[in-house]
Amino acid sequence: MERTKCLIIGSGPAGYTAAIYASRANIDNVLYEGIQPGGQLTITTEIENFPGFPEGIGGLDLMDNMRAQAERVGSKIRSGEVTSINFDKAPYVATIDGGEQIAADTVIIATGASAKYLGIADEKKYAGLGVSACATCDGFFYRKKVVAVVGGGDTACEEASYLSNIASKVYMIVRKDYLRASQIMQKRVAEKDNIEILFNCNTVGLFGNGGVEGAHLVKFKGTDKEEMLDIKIDGFFLAIGHKPNTDFLGGKIDLDANGYIDLKGKTTATNIPGVFAAGDVADPMYRQAVSAAGMGCHAALDVQAYLVEKGEL
Ligand code: NDP
């Protein structure tokens, strides 16, 4: 069976940065890209908040650059998804696409998180044409326009507040008659004149020619007060939560109450020796490309320290 010093799982900014640092520390490493090579950034358009690109850079281009950089310094980058991994003892044996296996002395989990969607067909129809799950990524394109944010939690309030500084008007579409968000986030929303909360509303469709021009809502769904309501919007932002991609870990890695990998102390260490995590899969808080890249760097340095301590480097 093939053996590597460091197996990196995931190909977002965290995975590629970990690969660059591992290679430059002379740690043999193999990175599996997973089902969405390049990760979430490949579905955004222009990235204007990643330092070093004064004119901005396309999400795909940024990820292609990171991949090329990792390959140039010696990382072995492969397509394929790690479908399971045995954490019982090192070396940890990972199974790729349910078949071939690879043994690894250390593992960096950088599988990211997936934004939750409502599951209505129009979300796919208007993907990249007005539907987004990231206000910080795409909000800029809605300067002086009207947008809607779906959700009533902290993320939705944060996204709505952020967008209210850019857009002329922000609707929050909340399915219950209250916000689940913390008091402080609710207060922040209440202080904004251009945020209007539509309580008791569910989105059932979007409309528009070539891009989002509005949303079909149902108010008081399933009751005798049920009514249809259309709102005119240019952008539709989902903020109904993220799901960290941890299913393949088989319950062996400690997660926090929200399902994110629970890091130990101030490092990227997990509960299993030699297994580290970086990026959105372990970050419920910041979820930015640049912070994920930073965590990828930390994880590779943690791998290096671990191998040195064990006398294996
Ligand atoms: P939450 O799970 O807290 O909230 C999700 C929101 O989306 C809820 O209002 C929920 O409605 C709504 N929702 C879920 N599914 C649907 C659906 N199918 N249709 C319509 N609405 C739906 O997720 P968040 O991402 O907001 O937060 C995750 C965690 O991260 C929380 O612990 C939060 O506190 C934390 N966080 C903290 C921040 C901060 O402190 N600044 C910022 C961001 C996140 P309902 O209430 O009806 O279930």
Side-chain angles (χ1 to χ4, degrees):
M1 189 192 310
E2 183 183 5
R3 185 161 175 171
T4 182
K5 277 251 176 290
C6 180
L7 171 67
I8 299 167
I9 312 173
S11 58
Y16 284 142
T17 307
I20 292 164
Y21 272 77
S23 291
R24 296 194 76 258
N26 210 20
I27 300 167
D28 170 74
N29 65 95
V30 176
L31 179 151
Y32 281 93
E33 291 182 317
I35 42 172
Q36 188 181 23
Q40 291 189 76
L41 285 189
T42 58
I43 55 164
T44 64
T45 44
E46 195 79 354
I47 296 167
E48 293 180 335
N49 55 8
F50 200 95
F53 301 94
E55 308 299 327
I57 182 166
L60 262 177
D61 291 341
L62 180 63
M63 299 322 296
D64 282 349
N65 286 351
M66 287 193 197
R67 186 185 201 282
Q69 191 172 349
E71 269 190 321
R72 191 174 73 82
V73 291
S75 298
K76 285 167 252 172
I77 296 173
R78 300 183 185 158
S79 57
E81 188 189 1
V82 174
T83 42
S84 65
I85 183 155
N86 185 340
F87 289 113
D88 288 347
K89 62 174 172 39
Y92 306 111
V93 176
T95 303
I96 315 302
D97 295 327
E100 158 195 344
Q101 294 191 314
I102 182 167
D105 298 308
T106 64
V107 179
I108 295 175
I109 303 163
T111 43
S114 306
K116 290 185 196 160
Y117 284 79
L118 296 172
I120 57 174
D122 288 339
E123 288 170 320
K124 285 205 178 86
K125 181 174 168 189
Y126 293 102
L129 298 169
V131 172
S132 169
C134 176
T136 9
C137 316
D138 298 326
F140 180 76
F141 303 105
Y142 297 92
R143 200 170 281 273
K144 303 252 186 301
K145 295 189 171 177
V146 181
V147 298
V149 176
V150 187
D154 281 329
T155 302
C157 288
E158 203 166 68
E159 306 263 271
S161 301
Y162 178 83
L163 287 166
S164 72
N165 296 327
I166 300 167
S168 58
K169 181 174 178 87
V170 180
Y171 290 106
M172 287 184 73
I173 305 170
V174 179
R175 65 180 174 182
K176 293 200 175 126
D177 61 358
Y178 62 89
L179 293 174
R180 180 203 287 223
S182 54
Q183 289 302 318
I184 180 143
M185 294 306 290
Q186 293 196 33
K187 186 164 170 278
R188 211 167 285 171
V189 163
E191 283 165 358
K192 300 282 188 175
D193 292 337
N194 61 342
I195 299 180
E196 182 182 343
I197 306 178
L198 303 172
F199 286 110
N200 302 299
C201 284
N202 281 280
T203 312
V204 288
L206 300 169
F207 59 88
N209 281 322
V212 170
E213 291 172 13
H216 301 299
L217 312 182
V218 182
K219 195 165 185 183
F220 299 119
K221 196 175 175 197
T223 71
D224 49 7
K225 288 193 286 181
E226 182 172 309
E227 58 174 295
M228 289 295 292
L229 178 74
D230 282 357
I231 54 170
K232 295 193 79 176
I233 51 169
D234 305 292
F236 183 76
F237 288 82
L238 281 309
I240 60 171
H242 279 76
K243 188 188 175 307
N245 300 318
T246 57
D247 289 351
F248 72 104
L249 298 171
K252 293 288 165 65
I253 302 288
D254 287 354
L255 306 179
D256 70 13
N258 292 315
Y260 290 82
I261 292 179
D262 195 19
L263 300 182
K264 308 295 172 191
K266 288 187 175 173
T267 71
T268 60
T270 68
N271 55 305
I272 306 273
V275 179
F276 303 85
D280 285 14
V281 74
D283 176 14
M285 189 76 188
Y286 301 106
R287 298 195 297 243
Q288 299 299 300
V290 68
S291 49
M295 286 178 84
C297 157
H298 294 179
L301 295 177
D302 290 339
V303 161
Q304 184 181 6
Y306 173 85
L307 291 171
V308 166
E309 195 174 310
K310 289 194 76 186
E312 293 176 12
L313 195 68

